[in-house]
Amino acid sequence: MLRLCSTSLSRGQILKNHKITFIQCDNGLDEEKLQSSNPQSCVYHAARRKHKKALQTYGLELPLLVVDSVIECANTLQRKPKNQKEAQTFLQAQSGNSIHILSCCILHSQRFYFVHLGKTSYEFSCFDKEDLEAYLKSQQWQNKAGAVMVEGFHKKYIKKQIGSTSNAIGLHFEAIKPFLELL
């Protein structure tokens, strides 16, 4: 059993799909207060701050799993869009372009401390305008870094992928799997 310190439905689903027992909770960190425009630095420091807050709040009675993800598109950081207009701006920048989904995962138990930085890259064809409008209206982009949903809207536009799909969805399961076996 572990504590997933994230409200992400996608991360929870990845753990469920692999039959990992967990408790899911929010660690209450306001990501908007993070002041970095460098995607690699941002994702690392966000995960470290989330971990620190989770450790203070919950301790290590259960192992902690903390994850943060960001999107890098055209050398620009894309976090979770604040509103539909920002989601549209992010998506328009991604259309016909390449993105990198960067994640930082921290798995901390009484026996070990593991940090993993992951990257999955995609090259997309141009998004259909009507599909884009329907996706924006669906609100499925909410709480998704860069409004990216590679298992949904973005899936049919993928021309090329380098890296793990689970990382792109929100939790690089293959990286943490050997450590989960130690719990």
Side-chain angles (χ1 to χ4, degrees):
M1 168 90 69
L2 63 85
R3 181 181 302 276
L4 173 60
C5 300
S6 168
T7 58
S8 166
L9 298 176
S10 299
R11 290 182 183 126
Q13 191 60 51
I14 289 170
L15 293 175
K16 285 177 189 172
N17 290 348
H18 291 280
K19 298 181 180 18
I20 304 298
T21 56
F22 66 97
I23 296 171
Q24 190 164 7
C25 59
D26 185 7
N27 67 355
L29 183 73
D30 183 3
E31 296 175 9
E32 296 305 315
K33 291 183 179 179
L34 301 173
Q35 299 294 320
S36 178
S37 60
N38 177 289
Q40 294 86 357
S41 177
C42 180
V43 75
Y44 175 73
H45 290 292
R48 291 287 310 260
R49 287 184 181 169
K50 287 179 178 184
H51 170 260
K52 183 178 179 181
K53 175 95 170 149
L55 192 57
Q56 291 170 346
T57 304
Y58 304 111
L60 287 175
E61 182 179 325
L62 292 176
L64 301 174
L65 178 58
V66 179
V67 186
D68 193 67
S69 298
V70 299
I71 306 298
E72 180 182 353
C73 180
N75 297 318
T76 302
L77 172 68
Q78 294 182 348
R79 290 199 61 86
K80 293 176 185 171
K82 297 174 196 77
N83 53 49
Q84 187 169 319
K85 182 175 180 167
E86 187 172 41
Q88 183 174 16
T89 300
F90 287 169
L91 292 162
Q92 287 172 334
Q94 297 164 14
S95 181
N97 209 339
S98 295
I99 68 166
H100 308 289
I101 301 173
L102 307 168
S103 69
C104 182
C105 172
I106 300 173
L107 181 58
H108 189 181
S109 75
Q110 293 178 1
R111 295 178 58 201
F112 61 84
Y113 179 85
F114 174 73
V115 178
H116 180 266
L117 298 170
K119 178 178 179 179
T120 303
S121 300
Y122 287 96
E123 184 180 330
F124 296 123
S125 55
C126 292
F127 302 155
D128 178 81
K129 186 178 179 179
E130 290 176 12
D131 280 353
L132 180 60
E133 290 301 319
Y135 180 55
L136 288 167
K137 287 179 185 174
S138 77
Q139 304 289 308
Q140 291 179 329
W141 52 267
Q142 290 184 334
N143 296 315
K144 304 276 185 193
V148 172
M149 192 174 183
V150 296
E151 72 279 23
F153 169 76
H154 289 75
K155 188 173 187 172
K156 74 179 189 179
Y157 297 103
I158 297 171
K159 288 171 50 176
K160 183 177 180 182
Q161 174 181 339
I162 300 170
S164 164
T165 300
S166 69
N167 182 71
I169 294 172
L171 176 61
H172 194 168
F173 185 80
E174 298 83 359
I176 65 168
K177 183 180 178 188
F179 295 94
L180 292 175
E181 294 168 1
L182 300 174
L183 298 179

